[in-house]
Amino acid sequence: MSKFYINKETHEVHKSSCDYANPTKYPNIIYLGDFDYPSTAISYAKRNGYSNADGCYYCCNQSHTK
C-alpha cells in the first residue's frame, strides 16, 4: 500500500514519494488515504468530491489521462 495525496485546486492525485505531494511547497495538498493502486485512489477521490481527479503525470503516469 502507498499513501496518496490530492491537490485540492488541480485535483491531481500523487503518491507520497512525489515531489508534488510536498505540503510545504504545495499548501493545497491533503492526505487522501492508503491505497494499493493509483486508480483506486483516483476512484476514491472522484466519489468524495473531486470529480475531475486525475493521476499525476510523474508518479501515477498509468492513471494520468489529462
Side-chain angles (χ1 to χ4, degrees):
M1 280 196 149
S2 297
K3 294 185 183 310
F4 285 87
Y5 293 81
I6 190 164
N7 184 309
K8 294 187 297 184
E9 285 187 6
T10 65
H11 297 187
E12 197 168 62
V13 174
H14 304 276
K15 289 182 181 179
S16 61
S17 58
C18 183
D19 287 340
Y20 292 103
N22 183 337
T24 305
K25 289 182 184 177
Y26 305 97
N28 293 313
I29 293 293
I30 59 168
Y31 179 67
L32 194 57
D34 291 350
F35 301 94
D36 289 324
Y37 305 103
S39 58
T40 310
I42 293 165
S43 294
Y44 176 83
K46 287 182 176 183
R47 289 191 313 271
N48 287 279
Y50 299 100
S51 60
N52 293 326
D54 191 33
C56 170
Y57 175 81
Y58 299 102
C59 68
C60 301
N61 190 270
Q62 67 275 21
S63 297
H64 177 76
T65 60
K66 298 176 186 172

